[in-house]
């Protein structure tokens, strides 16, 4: 019988925006406000929060989707748990991606500028809502799904439900269905003023980021999602990536080394835990990135270059 352990994970560590980093005035070409579908200011607790992206209708609520870039291929990017404002957090990597790809950054309910919903944060609801948001964006029929952290677990359900729409999957140090096997996972919420700033972005972006942090702090969607982590991880264990879906995993070396100290036997190999999900895959690659869990914050150039290589070498359909 496996021993039961309790892990307390701080959202601040989930975000991993290192506490010592500060903002500098780097121009932000990727994040440009677009015309919202509705008057977003009426939904913001802080009237000084500036809209970015567009609000789309999902199950009677509004979900924020940032739509940037004009490439031939589309990437749909879903965030890790507790990521305050994905449309802002991903600024630097979006600047690298958008000259080559169209990118949709989806802010789930309870995140960023999206509404808070009354629906429970089950893996079924989360994936269905993200899919419905994507369907509201004009001209997006086929796309690459890109996920960070816990969204990798939700992606297992997403791929199972909507594989006919996908042309690839990109995992950014994604969680895996069995990574917490035998453990109970809970989270602590840091005070908004203690949330570290986003590195290498303008003061204006970080000012907005802090305001959004206060707006969404400890909302019921984040609390419920945290409470359902074990349930959602367990549900995802039955899924595997299909053989014909190209899959790339970008894994942080800090995570690879950290997993070696995991107290449960069989959960020590971070690379194998990912490749086990693609045993039947015709095209899978693993890129080990010398960085931490939030590798898109400072390894964006390296990731983008390797992403180009991965996509360029996908097998052609016969």
């Amino acid at each position: 019988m496996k021993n039961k352990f309790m892990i307390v994970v701080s959202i601040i560590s989930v975000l991993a925006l290192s506490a010592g980093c500060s903002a500098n005035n780097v121009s932000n070409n990727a994040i440009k406000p677009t015309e919202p579908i509705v008057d977003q200011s009426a939904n913001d607790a802080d009237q000084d929060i500036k809209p970015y992206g567009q609000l789309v209708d999902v199950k009677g609520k509004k979900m924020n989707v940032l739509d940037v870039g004009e490439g031939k291929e589309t990437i749909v990017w879903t965030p890790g748990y507790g990521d305050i404002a994905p449309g802002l957090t991903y600024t630097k990597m979006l600047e690298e991606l958008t000259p080559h790809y169209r990118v949709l950054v989806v802010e789930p309910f309870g995140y960023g500028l999206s509404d808070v919903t009354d629906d429970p944060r089950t893996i079924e609801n989360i994936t269905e809502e993200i899919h419905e948001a994507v369907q509201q964006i004009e001209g997006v029929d086929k796309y690459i799904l890109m996920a960070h952290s816990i969204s990798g677990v939700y992606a297992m359900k997403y791929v199972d439900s909507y594989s006919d729409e996908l042309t690839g999957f990109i995992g950014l140090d994604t969680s895996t269905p069995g990574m917490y096997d035998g453990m109970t996972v809970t989270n602590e919420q840091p005070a908004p003023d203690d949330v570290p700033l986003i590195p290498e972005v303008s003061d204006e972006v970080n000012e907005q980021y802090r305001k959004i942090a206060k707006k969404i702090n400890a909302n019921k969607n984040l609390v419920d999602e945290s409470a359902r982590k074990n349930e959602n991880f367990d549900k995802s264990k039955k899924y595997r990536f299909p053989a014909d879906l190209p899959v790339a995993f970008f894994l942080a070396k800090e995570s690879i080394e950290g997993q070696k100290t995991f107290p449960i036997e069989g959960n020590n190999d971070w690379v194998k835990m990912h490749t086990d999900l693609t045993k039947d895959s015709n095209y899978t690659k693993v890129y080990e990135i010398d960085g931490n869990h939030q590798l898109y914050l400072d390894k964006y150039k390296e990731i983008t270059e390797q992403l180009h290589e991965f996509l360029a070498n996908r097998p052609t359909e016969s």
Side-chain angles (χ1 to χ4, degrees), residues 76 78 123-124 126-128 130-131 142-147 150-171 174 177 235-236 238-249 277-278 281:
V76 173
T78 57
I123 191 172
E124 295 86 1
I126 290 171
T127 54
E128 183 180 348
I130 291 172
H131 181 257
K142 297 284 188 177
Y143 51 93
I144 300 159
L145 182 64
M146 184 160 72
I150 198 172
S151 280
V153 171
Y154 304 151
M156 303 302 296
K157 168 65 176 172
Y158 196 102
V159 170
D160 184 72
S161 300
Y162 311 111
S163 61
D164 59 325
E165 300 175 10
L166 302 179
T167 59
F169 174 78
I170 308 298
T174 42
K235 286 179 179 179
S236 70
K238 61 184 176 183
Y239 303 120
R240 293 292 183 273
F241 288 105
D244 59 349
L245 183 71
V247 176
F249 296 116
L277 303 175
T278 58
S281 174

Side-chain angles (χ1 to χ4, degrees), residues 158-310:
Y158 196 102
V159 170
D160 184 72
S161 300
Y162 311 111
S163 61
D164 59 325
E165 300 175 10
L166 302 179
T167 59
F169 174 78
I170 308 298
L172 302 179
D173 212 37
T174 42
S175 304
T176 64
M179 65 180 290
Y180 291 132
D181 196 21
M183 290 189 165
T184 300
V185 185
T186 61
N187 293 272
E188 293 178 342
Q189 178 88 37
D193 290 337
D194 294 333
V195 173
L197 299 176
I198 306 169
E200 298 185 50
V201 299
S202 68
D203 293 336
E204 181 182 6
V205 169
N206 269 313
E207 181 182 4
Q208 292 297 304
Y209 183 74
R210 278 282 172 85
K211 289 178 179 179
I212 295 171
K214 292 179 180 180
K215 173 179 177 284
I216 73 168
N217 183 49
N219 69 57
K220 65 181 180 181
N221 289 167
L222 292 176
V223 171
D224 189 53
E225 184 181 356
S226 175
R228 293 180 186 275
K229 275 190 175 182
N230 292 86
E231 168 192 331
N232 287 333
F233 274 65
D234 285 343
K235 286 179 179 179
S236 70
K237 289 179 181 179
K238 61 184 176 183
Y239 303 120
R240 293 292 183 273
F241 288 105
D244 59 349
L245 183 71
V247 176
F249 296 116
F250 292 82
L251 303 183
K253 288 188 177 179
E254 184 178 276
S255 298
I256 293 171
E257 292 303 312
Q259 198 70 26
K260 292 177 181 178
T261 66
F262 208 71
I264 294 178
E265 185 178 353
N267 290 59
N268 306 108
D269 191 331
W270 192 231
V271 175
K272 184 177 183 297
M273 291 172 70
H274 287 81
T275 56
D276 280 350
L277 303 175
T278 58
K279 284 183 175 179
D280 298 325
S281 174
N282 297 328
Y283 183 56
T284 298
K285 295 203 71 172
V286 175
Y287 299 90
E288 296 185 14
I289 306 297
D290 188 13
N292 62 31
H293 185 51
Q294 267 62 33
L295 37 79
Y296 51 78
L297 289 175
D298 58 355
K299 302 297 179 180
Y300 44 85
K301 290 183 181 292
E302 179 181 351
I303 293 171
T304 301
E305 289 175 1
Q306 293 176 330
L307 178 61
H308 294 333
E309 181 268 338
F310 171 77

Side-chain angles (χ1 to χ4, degrees), residues 11-63:
I11 290 179
I12 219 168
S13 68
V14 175
L15 288 174
L17 303 176
S18 68
C21 65
S22 61
N24 54 42
N25 292 317
V26 177
S27 65
N28 175 16
N29 296 320
I31 306 299
K32 295 181 179 178
T34 56
E35 187 68 25
I37 291 176
V38 299
D39 181 6
Q40 186 163 341
S41 63
N43 297 325
D44 288 333
D46 189 332
Q47 297 296 310
D48 292 330
I49 294 176
K50 297 179 181 179
Y52 55 86
Q54 54 185 327
L55 293 174
V56 298
D57 291 308
V58 176
K59 294 183 178 179
K61 296 284 187 177
K62 300 297 180 184
M63 187 174 286

Side-chain angles (χ1 to χ4, degrees), residues 86-151:
L88 300 182
T89 309
Y90 303 153
T91 294
K92 295 306 297 180
M93 189 160 165
L94 286 173
E95 290 177 356
E96 294 297 316
L97 290 172
T98 51
H100 311 281
Y101 309 97
R102 180 182 183 184
V103 185
L104 307 185
V105 178
V106 181
E107 297 187 336
F109 288 135
Y111 289 67
L113 302 185
S114 294
D115 285 347
V116 172
T117 182
D118 294 327
D119 292 338
R121 298 297 78 207
T122 63
I123 191 172
E124 295 86 1
N125 283 340
I126 290 171
T127 54
E128 183 180 348
E129 291 158 2
I130 291 172
H131 181 257
E132 189 171 334
V134 173
Q135 296 303 297
Q136 306 305 309
I137 306 299
E138 185 177 354
V140 180
D141 300 314
K142 297 284 188 177
Y143 51 93
I144 300 159
L145 182 64
M146 184 160 72
H148 172 245
S149 197
I150 198 172
S151 280

